[in-house]
Amino acid sequence: MTEEPRIGVYVCHCGFNIAGTVDVKKVAEFAKTLPNVVVAKDYVFMCSEPGQDLIKADIKAHNLNRVVVSACSPSLHEITFRTAVSEAGLNKYLLEMANIREHCSWVHHDKEKATEKAKEIVRMAVAKARHLEPLEELEVKAEPSALVLGGGVAGMRAALELANYGFNVYLVEKAPTIGGKAALIGYIDPKTKGPDVVSKMFDRIKDCPRIQVLTNAELIQLSGFAGNYNAKIRINPRYVNEKCTLCGECEEVCPIEVSNEYNFGLNKRKAIFLPFSNAYPPYYAIDYRVCVKCGECEKVCRFGAINLKEEPKTIELKVGSVIIATGYDPYRPFKGEYGYGLHQNIITLFQLERLLDPESPTKGELIIGGKVPKSIAFIQCVGSRNTTPGAKEYCSRMCCTTAINSAIKIKEKYPDTNVYILYKDIMTYGSDETLYEEAGKKLVQFIKFEDKIPKVSITPEGLFIDVFEYTIQENIRIPVDAIVLSIGMLPPRDIEELIAVTRVSCGGEGFVREAHLKLAPVEAPTKGIFLAGCITGPKNILESIRMGSAAAAKAMSLLSKGKITIEPMIAQVNEEKCSGCAICVGVCPYSAISIKKVNGDRIAYVEKALCMGCGTCNAACPSGAMQHLGFKDIQLLAQTRAVFGGEMNV
């Protein structure tokens, strides 16, 4: 662009958000004095329709070829203003935002100084705008299919939503069955169990031809870009096929026994096993990690359903988007933490939930240590909120509701059993608050502790809990028959492998990080990858299902047009300057850069669809050959000179 810049500057009041701290009229008057500024105005809400119309009219009336909007964060309204300038006939990348709200009015109280700072921010934006260039977006074809990683409630819901709208879905689950932990425990409300919801989802998935379920499977490689991902899936042998009639004769002859993870260690299972009664796919599986291939199961099977010679296989899929819904792992207390592992009557909340299920080893009876306890105590925040050395900082959100729900059910079935809940804070948010009141009516006793956590003593006379009761400010000792540790949620054990393969980001708490907690809660920073359920942090079953729907909706909006628009603010190579050193290749986190040979010379090459515009290569390039469109060196240098009061006419 060689024509002389003609810049319009628009200063937003944002109600009193900006105008309460910044003298916006003085800022607009100051902007008029800056080089190449043709017009500068202020308005109460620049993002409103009248505000946008003001900008559009000025673009035409003053023949503007650059626009600076001085308002809030670009993450909030940059798209709004880009659309406005585009509708007025201007390339939308000839817009620059000056953030005088989050960067100025919200963090200062002195109006005079805040106004001076706002002027400098606008001065910097104008300096950069003078060097802006028109950019063109790219379009690539999108595959009408999706890969969903994780077969829990969030993943199943996402798969069903996508399939209902006509997209093919590959639902990949590491375990031999889909359903996740909701298939075993948990409640959506006091009367609706997680397993009931999961069972209904199974029925819909069975009848849906667009969903292909791959169990015992995992993603081992992901390449490509939004709309065109290539996924390599490894499927480990199940050794049992669809001929299985669930007769159970194979299980009887199997000599191998291991802890049953589907009952959270409450009993044992065989190496050949059915995870739970209504598992899907509805046939047995052999745990290849513990099976010794003795062949007894194969010999006894009358239906030819077992093949111990089955080998792992790898398949390749082409999909337009990826939804990650691989869930969480329960916190596992270390031996001795509140006496865990030292006494059979000290169990976790997950084990209690399983005990109360009709399909548990006790058929739903509360039998701990061989008998029904006459008194039982829940200790909250085990593994959460820094209560013990191994605990995490965050609240796991679902523990209080689940514990109180279980306490109510115990009191309903065993009214003579004394139930205590030892808590730091009760977090039954939303409509679950009524559970707290109901528990009180059923005489569940709540005991509050603060920083000094309860102490569990295992004596010949039984179990005792010593705690300083904060409300009455006294030390008390509670004799109990059983203790339930309300454990929290952890990121899944294999999250590092998942991050390495999918190139998503890890948040501070160890879960996968969203693109933006409020504005893009189901999107990963990598375009075309979406997040659902507990992979971004603790959630209850209902929240996970809702997040599955939200992730599916985002994926549909991406795939429904059959093509994907790629932002042009990406890396660009100046081939005349590039020395082919390949530093940019090594630092690129998205594998978007490679080296190609042009007339015998090594030159960096950027795959535009893969580049996420992070700028890492730009910063690392020693020759300045790698430039970031929209943030070129000349643009940033002009901005930097402006902040130090340097000459803008460069």
Side-chain angles (χ1 to χ4, degrees):
M1 197 173 197
T2 55
E3 62 182 330
E4 185 71 14
R6 296 178 60 80
I7 303 173
V9 178
Y10 299 89
V11 185
C12 181
H13 296 210
C14 196
F16 284 101
N17 272 294
I18 295 174
T21 309
V22 173
D23 189 330
V24 291
K25 293 195 178 296
K26 280 189 178 177
V27 175
E29 288 301 314
F30 169 77
K32 290 177 183 174
T33 67
L34 298 173
N36 299 108
V37 173
V38 177
V39 58
K41 295 179 179 176
D42 63 280
Y43 190 70
V44 61
F45 284 111
M46 205 58 80
C47 59
S48 66
E49 196 167 329
Q52 293 179 54
D53 289 342
L54 181 70
I55 297 172
K56 292 177 194 175
D58 279 357
I59 289 173
K60 293 175 181 174
H62 297 282
N63 195 26
L64 302 180
N65 54 24
R66 309 281 197 286
V67 169
V68 171
V69 176
S70 180
C72 55
S73 165
S75 63
L76 195 60
H77 277 306
E78 186 171 53
I79 293 176
T80 303
F81 294 117
R82 277 183 182 176
T83 304
V85 299
S86 177
E87 288 174 354
L90 194 63
N91 184 286
K92 61 185 180 182
Y93 294 97
L94 293 173
L95 165 81
E96 182 64 21
M97 294 284 293
N99 184 353
I100 60 168
R101 194 177 72 172
E102 287 85 344
H103 288 178
C104 187
S105 66
W106 277 6
V107 292
H108 296 295
H109 300 290
D110 186 315
K111 191 164 186 173
E112 187 177 342
K113 289 181 179 176
T115 301
E116 290 304 310
K117 180 177 177 180
K119 287 179 183 177
E120 292 306 309
I121 293 172
V122 170
R123 175 183 162 89
M124 290 169 64
V126 170
K128 183 186 175 190
R130 297 173 67 236
H131 297 279
L132 289 178
E133 298 170 333
L135 303 174
E136 298 301 325
E137 294 175 342
L138 305 173
E139 286 186 348
V140 295
K141 187 181 174 185
E143 287 288 329
S145 59
L147 174 68
V148 178
L149 301 175
V153 287
M156 289 193 293
R157 181 57 172 259
L160 285 166
E161 298 266 3
L162 284 162
N164 284 344
Y165 280 90
F167 297 101
N168 294 321
V169 182
Y170 303 97
L171 181 57
V172 173
E173 170 58 51
K174 263 189 171 182
T177 177
I178 57 174
K181 295 175 185 66
L184 306 169
I185 57 170
Y187 282 80
I188 285 184
D189 57 53
K191 294 183 179 177
T192 309
K193 294 194 300 180
D196 298 334
V197 176
V198 168
S199 186
K200 289 177 183 175
M201 287 184 171
F202 284 172
D203 292 339
R204 292 178 62 193
I205 288 174
K206 288 175 197 171
D207 297 334
C208 183
R210 292 196 181 94
I211 300 178
Q212 184 176 347
V213 177
L214 302 170
T215 53
N216 270 9
E218 59 185 318
L219 177 70
I220 56 174
Q221 187 176 317
L222 184 70
S223 59
F225 45 86
N228 291 273
Y229 281 114
N230 298 303
K232 191 175 284 188
I233 309 291
R234 179 171 60 215
I235 303 176
N236 293 311
R238 187 186 185 95
Y239 301 118
V240 185
N241 58 41
E242 63 280 0
K243 294 177 184 175
C244 175
T245 64
L246 302 179
C247 68
E249 293 175 8
C250 54
E251 191 174 6
E252 291 176 9
V253 300
C254 179
I256 304 298
E257 278 195 342
V258 294
S259 177
N260 188 351
E261 65 271 35
Y262 292 93
N263 279 326
F264 299 100
L266 290 172
N267 64 351
K268 302 279 187 182
R269 66 163 173 82
K270 297 293 184 67
I272 185 165
F273 68 106
L274 185 67
F276 46 89
S277 62
N278 66 335
Y280 186 82
Y283 42 92
Y284 275 68
I286 292 178
D287 187 343
Y288 64 91
R289 298 166 300 178
V290 299
C291 177
V292 295
K293 304 279 184 69
C294 66
E296 292 300 318
C297 55
E298 198 170 18
K299 289 178 195 170
V300 79
C301 182
R302 293 171 286 141
F303 307 99
I306 300 175
N307 176 16
L308 293 177
K309 294 178 181 173
E310 197 177 324
E311 294 287 337
K313 62 181 179 182
T314 302
I315 61 172
E316 294 189 14
L317 305 172
K318 199 164 183 64
V319 295
S321 68
V322 178
I323 294 178
I324 301 176
T326 50
Y328 69 97
D329 279 333
Y331 173 78
R332 185 177 176 81
F334 59 82
K335 190 173 182 178
E337 186 174 6
Y338 293 111
Y340 183 76
L342 302 178
H343 195 289
Q344 62 177 346
N345 287 17
I346 300 174
I347 63 174
T348 68
L349 184 59
F350 285 72
Q351 290 174 316
L352 175 75
E353 284 278 288
R354 195 60 192 144
L355 278 178
L356 296 175
D357 190 280
E359 294 193 7
S360 74
T362 61
K363 309 299 180 189
E365 297 298 324
L366 181 64
I367 298 175
I368 302 174
K371 61 182 182 181
V372 176
K374 291 294 182 185
S375 60
I376 185 168
F378 293 77
I379 299 179
Q380 300 301 108
C381 296
V382 178
S384 305
R385 304 191 64 202
N386 284 335
T387 51
T388 54
K392 302 295 181 183
E393 289 184 10
Y394 54 82
C395 168
S396 287
R397 294 168 61 89
M398 60 84 194
C399 324
C400 287
T401 301
T402 305
I404 293 176
N405 206 18
S406 298
I408 291 171
K409 295 191 182 308
I410 290 171
K411 289 297 286 184
E412 287 174 345
K413 192 167 184 178
Y414 307 97
D416 293 335
T417 296
N418 292 317
V419 181
Y420 307 93
I421 294 181
L422 285 73
Y423 69 98
K424 192 170 184 180
D425 290 300
I426 291 292
M427 300 285 187
T428 49
Y429 54 95
S431 58
D432 291 332
E433 186 68 26
T434 56
L435 288 172
Y436 180 72
E437 297 173 8
E438 188 181 346
K441 290 175 184 174
K442 293 188 182 301
L443 302 181
V444 173
Q445 298 179 61
F446 289 88
I447 297 167
K448 180 172 173 59
F449 64 89
E450 286 280 290
D451 295 333
K452 190 176 180 182
I453 63 172
K455 181 183 176 185
V456 173
S457 300
I458 302 171
T459 72
E461 291 76 32
L463 296 172
F464 293 89
I465 301 176
D466 293 288
V467 60
F468 180 76
E469 214 293 339
Y470 181 77
T471 311
I472 61 174
Q473 294 286 299
E474 285 186 13
N475 288 308
I476 60 174
R477 166 166 271 212
I478 310 167
V480 292
D481 295 328
I483 296 172
V484 178
L485 305 182
S486 294
I487 55 175
M489 295 179 172
L490 296 177
R493 283 185 293 273
D494 58 356
I495 195 165
E496 290 185 3
E497 297 167 27
L498 176 77
I499 289 172
V501 173
T502 59
R503 304 190 300 274
V504 293
S505 302
C506 184
E509 295 171 344
F511 293 92
V512 172
R513 184 170 62 85
E514 314 91 339
H516 191 288
L517 182 62
K518 292 183 178 177
L519 302 178
V522 298
E523 296 172 55
T526 304
K527 191 170 183 179
I529 296 182
F530 305 95
L531 312 170
C534 294
I535 193 62
T536 57
K539 291 172 189 66
N540 62 33
I541 294 175
L542 193 56
E543 289 171 331
S544 295
I545 292 173
R546 287 172 179 158
M547 205 170 169
S549 292
K554 281 290 181 182
M556 281 188 276
S557 69
L558 184 79
L559 303 177
S560 57
K561 295 176 184 174
K563 59 184 179 183
I564 290 177
T565 301
I566 297 172
E567 273 223 4
M569 299 177 86
I570 57 175
Q572 185 185 59
V573 183
N574 183 335
E575 296 188 357
E576 292 183 359
K577 287 187 175 180
C578 181
S579 63
C581 67
I583 291 174
C584 52
V585 177
V587 299
C588 178
Y590 301 99
S591 302
I593 307 175
S594 58
I595 297 293
K596 67 176 184 178
K597 283 202 171 182
V598 178
N599 300 325
D601 295 330
R602 286 163 51 87
I603 303 292
Y605 169 74
V606 178
E607 176 55 68
K608 294 177 180 175
L610 278 176
C611 179
M612 292 292 112
C614 68
T616 307
C617 57
N618 186 190
C621 180
S623 65
M626 194 66 79
Q627 292 290 305
H628 191 299
L629 297 178
F631 296 92
K632 283 187 167 181
D633 288 354
I634 189 173
Q635 296 163 343
L636 298 182
L637 282 171
Q639 209 169 10
T640 308
R641 288 192 186 101
V643 74
F644 292 111
E647 178 57 55
M648 291 180 67
N649 290 315
V650 292

